[in-house]
Amino acid sequence: MDIEDTLLMIPGPVKVPQRVLRAMSKPMVSHRSADFETIYEDCRSWLKELFDTKNDAVVLSGSGTAGMEAAVGGIIGKDDKIVTVTNGKFGERFTELGDRYGTAVPLDFAWGTPFDLDRIESALEEGAKAIAMVHNETSVGIVNPAKEVGKLARKYDAVFIVDGISSVGGNEFLTDEWGIDIAITGSQKCLAVPPGLAMVTVSKRAEEMLEKGKGGYYTDLKAHLDKAKKNQTPYTPAVSLFYALQEALTIAAEEGFSERRARMARLAKGVREAASALEIELFPQVNEHSTYSNTVTAMKMPEGITDGQLRGGMRKRGVVVSGGQSGLKGKIFRIGTMGACTEADVLRTIQTLELVLEKEGIISRLGAGVEAASKAIDA
Ligand code: PLP
């Protein structure tokens, strides 16, 4: 099927609104001009609102991982320890980064299961310079307890680094209230910009620990922060993506940041209710400290159908959803509801899922999923 007719329902990159695409086609400006500085200033001030913070915000040219690397590489040196709490693929990336720049102390929970806060406290008691976690673990569709981990980070005086890449703008994300020293998001998720930018906020306390020349060269957070104070970047930024980010933040502000999150919450609830109506089990196990995600829903692959049949069948009908990563390949599938996603997008996705399930003999009648989703979304 033609890419233009395909509905992209993966948890990033997501479909990009026409307004944002048009903004990207504007003529180039010098990145050392007042024109660029105005754009960057505008983005930085919207980002503070989006992250719910008074901290400084910087934009790095690079995908979300560049932001993770800037955070870890800026804070951790070769003699430092960083506790990395994991329950999915992206948490494990923090462990790899921790070991690249210093020593990671991984606290691994089974993918898709909740954090055990007592174990986190015990690890911090041993002493670590920082602790890193993923708020919305995209690989499994769970929202982890940043607020509670933030309290522990304060208690043990550890720098608190949170990957909010698939969360900021979709789930509640309270950078200052939760004591997050370094928070990160990526352009291709809830903001619905093409991939290629990482947005990072940095607390005063963390900023004081950063040293120029420490960590990665291109991702040197201190160099980016120093330049950002003049609305400049250390190296040539991806200017067209900055146009896109400015437009996307304007669109998000027009909708209202909290209304936007509420929309994504309704859409994700629609997907979960459809799953329940179709007797498809949700993958993550949630408890009082963790919740299902507004931005991605992970579901177990129903018995009697393969990943190729389910996702391949949907793709043939023009809807692209994600599979499982690493050990979850073939075992789960995931539907994204972030960015500019609409009720119509979700209903088409569920209808397509039903068509495939019926064709493969998993369900006998069409409509239950669509009905449940539309009731939940309109409620
Ligand atoms: N962290 C989370 C939670 C993500 O969802 C992703 C991307 O899917 C990443 C990190 C990595 O970001 P990127 O692929 O933009 O480098």
Side-chain angles (χ1 to χ4, degrees):
M1 183 168 288
D2 192 304
I3 209 168
E4 303 248 341
D5 300 322
T6 299
L7 178 59
L8 191 60
M9 292 294 285
I10 66 174
V14 299
K15 80 170 165 196
V16 178
Q18 286 298 329
R19 263 177 74 178
V20 173
L21 291 173
R22 277 198 297 275
M24 288 179 71
S25 67
K26 284 194 296 198
M28 196 45 49
V29 292
S30 161
H31 63 294
R32 300 295 176 214
S33 64
D35 288 332
F36 178 78
E37 285 170 8
T38 306
I39 295 166
Y40 195 11
E41 186 177 17
D42 204 22
C43 291
R44 285 177 5 96
S45 92
W46 280 129
L47 286 170
K48 287 179 178 207
E49 252 185 72
L50 184 75
F51 278 82
D52 228 304
T53 186
K54 294 199 169 55
N55 295 341
D56 224 340
V58 297
V59 181
L60 275 65
S61 295
S63 72
T65 306
M68 297 169 78
E69 179 146 28
V72 176
I75 295 293
I76 298 299
K78 67 178 179 10
D79 299 325
D80 298 321
K81 282 200 250 173
I82 178 169
V83 173
T84 54
V85 195
T86 82
N87 59 356
K89 180 181 172 71
F90 297 106
E92 291 180 0
R93 188 161 298 175
F94 269 136
T95 304
E96 289 168 11
L97 284 165
D99 281 331
R100 178 72 61 106
Y101 289 99
T103 304
V105 181
L107 268 187
D108 296 329
F109 299 101
W111 281 34
T113 66
F115 291 175
D116 176 340
L117 294 169
D118 292 337
R119 272 186 62 199
I120 295 176
E121 177 150 19
S122 306
L124 285 170
E125 260 169 10
E126 301 283 310
K129 185 165 186 196
I131 178 165
M133 61 168 276
V134 176
H135 187 229
N136 187 89
E137 183 44 89
T138 322
S139 57
V140 295
I142 199 169
V143 178
N144 290 314
K147 181 178 171 185
E148 287 76 7
V149 176
K151 278 191 197 141
L152 294 173
R154 280 285 130 157
K155 183 167 171 194
Y156 294 95
D157 201 25
V159 177
F160 188 31
I161 301 173
V162 179
D163 167 347
I165 289 173
S166 61
S167 193
V168 175
N171 298 309
E172 181 172 68
F173 194 96
L174 304 176
T175 303
D176 289 354
E177 203 177 308
W178 298 345
I180 302 174
D181 289 296
I182 306 187
I184 306 139
T185 195
S187 54
Q188 77 276 28
K189 307 281 185 180
C190 298
L191 283 167
V193 166
L197 295 179
M199 282 67 76
V200 183
T201 68
V202 186
S203 69
K204 277 273 158 298
R205 175 173 107 106
E207 192 176 339
E208 280 160 16
M209 291 184 194
L210 298 172
E211 291 163 41
K212 216 170 196 153
K214 190 167 152 219
Y217 184 92
Y218 194 74
T219 54
D220 183 332
L221 196 50
K222 175 90 176 120
H224 281 274
L225 266 173
D226 287 351
K227 280 288 197 179
K229 294 189 196 303
K230 292 172 258 166
N231 294 307
Q232 277 287 325
T233 56
Y235 322 111
T236 313
V239 175
S240 308
L241 288 174
F242 278 67
Y243 295 157
L245 178 63
Q246 185 189 33
E247 187 68 8
L249 284 163
T250 307
I251 293 172
E254 282 168 8
E255 183 176 359
F257 292 137
S258 69
E259 286 78 5
R260 198 170 162 88
R261 283 198 306 272
R263 168 173 54 80
M264 294 183 220
R266 280 198 308 278
L267 297 176
K269 180 138 199 294
V271 174
R272 293 197 299 273
E273 292 299 322
S276 161
L278 298 170
E279 294 179 12
I280 298 173
E281 248 185 279
L282 300 176
F283 178 71
Q285 293 166 33
V286 296
N287 66 1
E288 72 275 23
H289 297 303
S290 50
T291 57
Y292 295 115
S293 166
N294 291 346
T295 64
V296 53
T297 301
M299 289 155 281
K300 293 188 184 167
M301 191 63 66
E303 294 261 333
I305 188 166
T306 65
D307 183 60
Q309 286 167 326
L310 187 143
R311 290 196 305 123
M314 290 184 76
R315 197 177 315 112
K316 235 172 48 195
R317 291 166 176 80
V319 180
V320 179
V321 300
S322 285
Q325 294 168 288
S326 304
L328 291 177
K329 268 202 179 89
K331 299 194 173 127
I332 66 168
F333 67 105
R334 295 172 299 146
I335 295 179
T337 43
M338 55 181 82
C341 187
T342 64
E343 175 173 359
D345 294 337
V346 169
L347 296 183
R348 178 173 161 203
T349 304
I350 301 300
Q351 184 191 37
T352 308
L353 173 64
E354 287 191 38
L355 285 171
V356 171
L357 293 176
E358 195 223 24
K359 178 171 174 284
E360 301 297 341
I362 309 297
I363 58 173
S364 53
R365 141 187 115 74
L366 294 172
V370 171
E371 187 183 348
S374 75
K375 276 192 183 146
I377 295 169
D378 288 337

